[in-house]
């Protein structure tokens, strides 16, 4: 494996040059809170677990599917806009954005009611429900850019990273020069961005006395996770609801991480500027399950509990690096590494949830959910590589955290008005550089044979990205403020 920079949309304090497969990958696919895949659930910020009668409960509490009394077909379309503002080295803030249309969900639910003498029975198991569905579980779309002037260089990181390595390992042969270099450090050595001060010790080649290194970076990530759900739920006398779901996950992620530097114009006889880019494509699949229960002691109260099993994801990374260097005397170099491929698995942690709802007759309701996830239990493995050090790092770097979601709905005849708020816990064991809050709202029209719902949520995220670290020097972080907006429309047919 080789070193590369990885950035994830929900992380984080002090992510820098990490192993090609690292804790950052595990967190990317584990920190995927269920915030709704239908317009109704988005308007309630995903707090629908105890309420049921919404296809998106398959991602929180599948027991809620048993509250359907008719067959259902629905689909949800929407947009996802991300606006990111970055601050780096006291420079002017940089703004960047993404816009993506989304097919959020398609679900088909069949209801089989127990009939006695022509009427629905009220004793025993009164109905069972079966769901087939497609639901989006995560979006990785984000664009982050930054710039500033630093008193150190990325080449300082490369020099420190190579300490202890014999310089002969950095020499390139004809195969590398023609087909691509083995590792990114070979390119930095070949272009004289670093040099050896003695065997197994390296130094950058810029003039540290003059300083003033101009730096610029951009990270564009795209893709998402989708689930294909098969679920079964049963209703016992409208008092107890049980549900189980099997989830087949599909993963598609891409990232282009570009970092460039411009040397102080007062220096000469070395490099003038360079641009280093790292490209990653990840694809794969996985399987997991969910169990749920809802207790309805009376017409007003509902209590629920869920267990989400770990999901095992089988992933494949395709990655490569490229380096472009401009020299003071006017020459240039264009280099790249070989295309590499690596397969591994990620196991996400178990999730536990409790839900509750109070219904104000036919006037509306208030609902809440709390989820507990221990991110220190994330795990990476591979037939070809031992991940013992990575998994040990996960166990110490991450901790148990909780997510809280609260939603409310007001009913006026066939019209519904909704709102919600959620706070997503920090997965890091220490540090306060990450925070995430979501506010939401929406409305809907419910008729006997159809329903139309519109929902919107605002995702407010603060995090820190560190382009590189140098031993003995305080890391220079990029402070980010992200505002995400999801807008969704759901059409439901009851038959």
């Amino acid at each position: 494996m080789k070193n590369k920079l990885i950035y994830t949309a929900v992380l984080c304090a002090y992510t820098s040059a990490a192993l090609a497969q690292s804790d950052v990958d595990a967190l990317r696919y584990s920190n995927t809170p269920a915030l709704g895949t239908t317009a109704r659930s988005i308007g309630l910020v995903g707090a629908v677990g105890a309420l049921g009668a919404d296809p998106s409960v398959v991602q929180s509490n599948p027991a809620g599917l048993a509250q359907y009394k008719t067959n259902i077909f629905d689909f949800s379309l929407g947009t996802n806009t991300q606006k990111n503002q970055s601050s780096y080295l006291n420079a002017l803030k940089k703004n960047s954005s993404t816009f993506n249309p989304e097919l959020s969900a398609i679900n088909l639910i069949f209801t089989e009611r127990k009939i006695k003498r022509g009427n629905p029975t009220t004793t025993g198991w009164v109905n069972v429900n079966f769901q087939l569905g497609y639901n989006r579980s995560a979006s990785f779309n984000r664009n982050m850019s930054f710039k500033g002037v630093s008193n150190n260089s990325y080449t300082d990181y490369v020099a420190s990273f190579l300490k202890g390595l014999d310089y002969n390992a950095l020499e390139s042969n004809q195969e590398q020069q023609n087909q691509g270099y083995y590792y990114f450090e070979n390119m930095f050595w070949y272009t004289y961005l670093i040099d050896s001060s003695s065997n197994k010790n390296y130094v950058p080649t810029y003039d540290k006395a003059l300083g003033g290194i101009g730096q610029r970076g951009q990270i564009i990530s795209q893709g998402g996770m989708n689930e294909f759900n098969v679920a079964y739920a049963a209703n016992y006398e409208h008092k107890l609801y049980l549900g189980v779901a099997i989830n087949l996950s599909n993963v598609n992620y891409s990232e282009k991480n570009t970092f460039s530097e411009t040397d102080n114009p007062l220096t000469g006889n070395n490099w003038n500027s360079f641009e280093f880019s790292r490209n990653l494509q990840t694809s794969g699949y996985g399987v997991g399950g969910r169990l749920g229960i809802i207790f309805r002691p009376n017409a007003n109260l509902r209590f629920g509990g869920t267990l989400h099993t770990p999901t095992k994801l089988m992933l494949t990374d395709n990655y490569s690096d490229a380096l472009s260097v401009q020299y003071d005397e006017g020459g240039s170099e264009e280099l790249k590494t070989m295309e590499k491929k690596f397969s591994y698995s990620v196991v996400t942690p178990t999730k536990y949830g409790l839900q509750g709802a109070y219904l104000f007759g036919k006037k509306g309701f208030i609902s809440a959910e709390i989820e507990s996830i221990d991110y220190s239990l994330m795990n990476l493995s591979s037939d070809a590589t031992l991940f013992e050090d990575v998994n040990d790092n996960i166990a110490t770097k991450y901790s148990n955290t909780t997510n809280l979601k609260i939603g409310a709905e007001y009913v006026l005849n066939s019209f519904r008005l909704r709102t919600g708020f959620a706070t997503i816990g920090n997965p890091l064991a220490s540090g306060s550089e990450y925070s995430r809050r979501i506010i939401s709202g929406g409305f809907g029209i419910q008729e006997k044979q159809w329903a139309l719902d519109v929902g919107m949520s605002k995702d407010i995220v603060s995090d820190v990205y560190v382009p590189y670290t140098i031993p003995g020097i305080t890391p220079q972080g990029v402070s980010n403020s992200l505002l995400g907006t999801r807008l969704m429309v759901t059409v439901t047919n009851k038959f």
Side-chain angles (χ1 to χ4, degrees):
M1 295 189 297
K2 59 186 276 299
N3 275 42
K4 68 180 179 182
L5 288 174
I6 298 179
Y7 177 77
T8 181
V10 292
L11 191 74
C12 64
Y14 299 179
T15 298
S16 182
L19 286 176
Q21 294 77 36
S22 72
D23 62 287
V24 179
D25 297 276
L27 184 62
R28 180 188 304 120
Y29 307 119
S30 299
N31 192 357
T32 56
L35 300 172
T37 61
T38 64
R40 177 177 181 249
S41 58
I42 282 181
L44 298 168
V45 79
V48 294
L51 296 168
D54 189 283
S56 68
V57 297
V58 73
Q59 290 190 333
S60 55
N61 188 340
L65 297 170
Q67 297 189 42
Y68 276 114
K69 298 178 182 179
T70 62
N71 299 328
I72 295 291
F73 171 74
D74 84 328
F75 65 91
S76 301
L77 299 173
T79 61
N80 191 343
T81 304
Q82 305 276 348
K83 295 182 179 180
N84 192 89
Q85 186 176 80
S86 300
S87 177
Y88 182 57
L89 297 172
N90 299 316
L92 292 176
K93 294 181 178 180
K94 289 275 290 180
N95 296 300
S96 50
S97 63
T98 63
F99 174 83
N100 298 93
E102 286 188 351
L103 173 60
S104 182
I106 302 176
N107 290 283
L108 185 61
I109 300 171
F110 299 98
T111 300
E112 182 180 345
R113 303 182 71 179
K114 185 178 179 182
I115 304 297
K116 185 175 183 181
R117 297 178 181 177
N119 296 309
T121 185
T122 58
T123 60
W125 297 100
V126 299
N127 66 269
V128 294
N129 294 45
F130 179 74
Q131 179 189 30
L132 291 173
Y134 159 87
N135 291 275
R136 192 165 180 83
S137 55
S139 173
F140 302 133
N141 298 313
R142 187 169 179 176
N143 183 355
M144 184 194 76
S145 59
F146 59 93
K147 68 176 181 178
V149 178
S150 175
N151 57 7
N152 57 58
S153 165
Y154 187 81
T155 58
D156 285 295
Y157 156 71
V158 178
S160 64
F161 169 70
L162 294 176
K163 185 176 181 180
L165 181 70
D166 192 289
Y167 74 90
N168 288 308
L170 299 174
E171 297 291 350
S172 60
N173 54 33
Q174 196 62 42
E175 178 190 25
Q176 293 187 65
Q177 296 176 23
N178 293 336
Q179 301 181 20
Y181 290 79
Y182 296 154
Y183 306 110
F184 84 95
E185 52 263 33
N186 297 112
M187 299 189 298
F188 276 75
W189 173 261
Y190 181 83
T191 55
Y192 198 61
L193 293 177
I194 59 170
D195 195 7
S196 61
S197 58
S198 61
N199 191 23
K200 301 184 179 181
N201 288 284
Y202 302 89
V203 293
T205 57
Y206 73 99
D207 191 337
K208 291 189 176 184
L210 293 174
I213 301 294
Q215 297 183 334
R216 184 184 296 267
Q218 183 178 42
I219 302 173
I220 300 175
S221 58
Q222 295 177 312
M225 288 179 65
N226 307 304
E227 289 183 352
F228 298 92
N229 311 106
V230 179
Y232 179 86
N235 175 355
Y236 185 80
E237 298 184 357
H238 303 291
K239 295 289 186 182
L240 181 67
Y241 306 86
L242 302 176
V244 59
I246 301 297
N247 316 299
L248 303 177
S249 297
N250 171 261
V251 176
N252 180 33
Y253 178 77
S254 68
E255 176 184 292
K256 183 171 184 179
N257 187 326
T258 304
F259 186 83
S260 62
E261 291 190 350
T262 302
D263 197 8
N264 190 307
L266 298 177
T267 65
N269 299 318
N270 61 356
W271 55 272
N272 175 266
S273 64
F274 72 83
E275 181 178 282
F276 179 47
S277 63
R278 323 203 76 169
N279 300 282
L280 168 67
Q281 294 277 346
T282 302
S283 60
Y285 62 91
V287 61
R290 299 185 182 106
L291 301 173
I293 182 171
I294 296 174
F295 177 56
R296 181 174 176 261
N298 56 50
N300 301 104
L301 287 172
R302 294 175 186 175
F303 302 102
T306 56
L307 168 66
H308 298 190
T309 72
T311 296
K312 184 170 184 178
L313 299 169
M314 309 301 296
L315 305 173
T316 298
D317 283 358
N318 291 276
Y319 52 93
S320 63
D321 300 330
L323 180 65
S324 172
V325 181
Q326 300 289 327
Y327 297 102
D328 287 329
E329 71 274 11
S332 64
E333 296 277 6
E334 299 281 346
L335 296 83
K336 63 180 181 179
T337 63
M338 295 179 178
E339 295 280 346
K340 294 193 175 183
K341 184 176 181 178
F342 187 80
S343 296
Y344 61 105
S345 66
V346 170
V347 178
T348 67
T350 302
K351 180 189 296 184
Y352 305 92
L354 293 174
Q355 303 97 22
Y358 184 86
L359 282 66
F360 300 94
K362 295 184 178 181
K363 293 297 183 180
F365 60 79
I366 184 169
S367 62
E369 296 188 16
I370 186 169
E371 300 170 335
S372 176
I373 314 103
D374 189 350
Y375 290 99
S376 68
L377 300 179
M378 300 183 298
N379 183 271
L380 284 84
S381 62
S382 171
D383 293 336
T385 303
L386 294 176
F387 283 98
E388 183 177 354
D389 290 343
V390 175
N391 292 327
D392 286 345
N393 181 46
I394 290 174
T396 57
K397 184 176 179 179
Y398 299 95
S399 66
N400 187 81
T401 191
T402 56
N403 302 330
L404 176 65
K405 299 178 282 186
I406 301 174
E409 179 180 276
Y410 175 72
V411 177
L412 181 62
N413 298 322
S414 61
F415 183 77
R416 273 75 170 153
L417 185 64
R418 307 178 181 108
T419 188
F421 172 79
T423 176
I424 307 303
N426 186 352
L428 296 168
S430 61
S432 58
E433 294 84 1
Y434 173 80
S435 68
R436 186 179 182 187
R437 306 287 185 270
I438 303 101
I439 55 175
S440 66
F443 63 89
I445 300 173
Q446 296 284 332
E447 297 292 349
K448 186 175 181 179
Q449 298 296 328
W450 61 272
L452 176 66
D453 295 288
V454 177
M456 184 178 73
S457 68
K458 291 286 187 179
D459 203 335
I460 306 165
V461 181
S462 297
D463 58 27
V464 174
Y465 167 72
V466 176
Y468 59 90
T469 59
I470 304 169
I473 297 178
T474 302
Q476 301 171 153
V478 182
S479 298
N480 296 292
S481 297
L482 175 71
L483 178 62
T485 303
R486 295 178 70 195
L487 180 63
M488 190 169 297
V489 176
T490 299
V491 178
T492 302
N493 179 43
K494 308 172 187 180
F495 62 97

